[in-house]
Amino acid sequence: MAGGMLAAALAEQSLDIVLLDGAPEPQMPTGAPAARVSALTETSERLLRSVGVWKNMPAHRLQPYDKMEVRDGDGTGEVHFSAADAAASHLGTLVENDSVVAAIFDFCRAACRIDWRSDCRVASVGRREQGWRVELADGQVIDCRLLVGADGARSMVRSAAGLSAPSRDTGHVAVVATLHSAVPHDSCARQAFLDSGPLALLPLYGDGHQCSLVWSLWPDRAAQLMEQSPGSFSHAVTQASQAWLGDLQLVSEPLAFPIHDLHAGDYVCPELALIGDAAHVVHPLAGQGINLGLLDAAVLAEEIGRAIESGRDWSSLALLQRYQRRRRGHNASVVAAMRGFKVLFEQRSPAFRFFRNTGMSLVNRHSMLKGLLAAQALGRFDDAPQSARS
Ligand SMILES: Cc1cc2nc3c(=O)[nH]c(=O)nc-3n(C[C@H](O)[C@H](O)[C@H](O)COP(=O)(O)OP(=O)(O)OC[C@H]3O[C@@H](n4cnc5c(N)ncnc54)[C@H](O)[C@@H]3O)c2cc1C
């Protein structure tokens, strides 16, 4: 998603772009909802709209949400806020990841200077006197002036460039599945911070009763859950969520993802930049990962576009460092906030829990604080690219 977004955002520039992806050619999903979904913020939607990608998204498979509810596991702390708290129409949209990639692909396929190669594995990358050399698994070689690593958490580009990114096991495995709920989701994204780990029920498109579960658990508990029959799995989630949406029924194969977070110390070196999960991986508990990656892509495209317009070198280290300055601080604050949240909700001391839950209830009664939470959920921040503001 991050790499495709960068290519799309640069489509109007006089650049020849080659996008190399080991995955098969993207296809718009059909049938039941795909298991991998993302909560895109209003800011991400604006970015995709401004580039011209959003119009390719399948409208009938999108689920806007206008409310969020957060609870703690004791049932004594609760925060509700809505798009209205920040004078917005909705807080974000639940999308299938495959829809986003397919919509970006359709856009890029129509752009004459983007060469998108699917099923194309990069075997190695190495520095040249100017730029980088990319060797493909089939032996082909591509030389480029600027190499952007958008190759995910285990980025080979990052390793080849010697950019270190300390990784931390969060101790969680995220179990993801599609559920049918007895009570309609009412376009609300729900998150409960349970002793077992954060459990999110995210509204999906359809008849108003389809939800995506993201339950981050300790590995042994996640393994137990994955081994259960569909009936026991459904029962376990209904119980853990305290029947927030009534009885829940599992309607997909559950998937499990071990969660490591990481943050690169530097995103750039001469003629090379990292974007998306190649630069930072955050705990999925606040659904921020790809929202940050799309912002990286938009800011890097904005810097390159400005350089081209003013006749400056569009691959200079100074430009890449400006990109890093604009993005690294924001991403670092989200990585730190996710680590902090996890610690905050893991505390077992009754006194600590009392103050935390009282704090949540106080926030819930304060309209200005709720407005701030809603602005965060919308993905608004000060140094957003121009394309996210219009
Ligand atoms: C359970 C879970 C729930 C999540 N929920 C949300 C959410 O609600 N909202 C949100 O914003 N984020 C969410 N995230 C995070 C989000 O999924 C990631 O941040 C996002 O997928 C990263 O996108 P990316 O484009 O940077 O990298 P990736 O999606 O990892 O893409 C990397 C690409 O690089 C290609 N590649 C890698 N190596 C090579 C190679 N050697 N040669 C060729 N190609 C290569 C791969 O084929 C792939 O296409 C969630 C994550 C998890 C685990």
Side-chain angles (χ1 to χ4, degrees), residues 5 27 33 37 79 120 156 173 190 196-197 232 249 251-252 291 293-294 296 307 322:
M5 173 67 182
Q27 303 285 337
V37 300
V79 182
C120 180
M156 183 237 275
V173 171
R190 295 171 173 84
S196 50
S232 312
Q249 295 296 330
V251 292
S252 72
N291 291 298
L294 295 176
D296 295 345
R322 206 161 36 250

Side-chain angles (χ1 to χ4, degrees), residues 179 228-239 248-251:
L179 304 171
Q228 285 178 358
S229 66
S232 312
F233 185 104
S234 306
H235 181 68
V237 185
T238 304
Q239 275 214 317
L248 298 167
Q249 295 296 330
L250 180 67
V251 292

Side-chain angles (χ1 to χ4, degrees), residues 94-287:
L94 250 293
V95 299
E96 295 159 285
N97 292 5
D98 290 346
S99 298
V100 182
V101 180
I104 296 175
F105 174 70
D106 286 348
F107 175 90
C108 289
R109 196 163 40 175
C112 51
R113 297 187 77 157
I114 301 175
D115 174 7
W116 182 309
R117 303 191 195 173
S118 302
D119 286 315
C120 180
R121 268 226 89 70
V122 174
S124 67
V125 301
R127 188 95 180 92
R128 289 160 64 229
E129 200 175 315
Q130 260 214 319
W132 289 80
R133 170 157 295 183
V134 177
E135 285 189 19
L136 307 184
D138 66 5
Q140 280 188 69
V141 168
I142 300 172
D143 290 337
C144 61
R145 180 161 152 193
L146 176 66
L147 177 63
V148 178
D151 49 344
R154 278 178 277 177
S155 168
M156 183 237 275
V157 173
R158 185 181 69 223
S159 312
L163 297 171
S164 78
S167 168
R168 233 183 44 137
D169 182 0
T170 62
H172 272 165
V173 171
V175 175
V176 174
T178 308
L179 304 171
H180 179 274
S181 63
V183 174
H185 57 58
D186 193 25
S187 308
C188 177
R190 295 171 173 84
Q191 173 113 276
F193 285 92
L194 311 177
D195 287 343
S196 50
L199 181 154
L201 291 171
L202 306 169
L204 288 178
Y205 71 90
D207 61 0
H209 291 263
Q210 289 195 110
C211 295
S212 172
L213 167 78
V214 184
W215 190 2
S216 306
L217 297 150
W218 301 113
D220 50 350
R221 180 73 184 93
Q224 257 177 17
L225 188 67
M226 292 296 290
E227 278 165 15
Q228 285 178 358
S229 66
S232 312
F233 185 104
S234 306
H235 181 68
V237 185
T238 304
Q239 275 214 317
S241 65
Q242 295 170 6
W244 208 352
L245 285 175
D247 274 339
L248 298 167
Q249 295 296 330
L250 180 67
V251 292
S252 72
E253 280 295 316
L255 300 175
F257 300 88
I259 306 169
H260 291 79
D261 68 11
L262 68 80
H263 198 193
D266 275 305
Y267 293 4
V268 303
C269 64
E271 288 148 340
L272 181 145
L274 303 176
I275 62 172
D277 274 24
H280 45 76
V281 179
V282 301
H283 195 297
L285 71 86

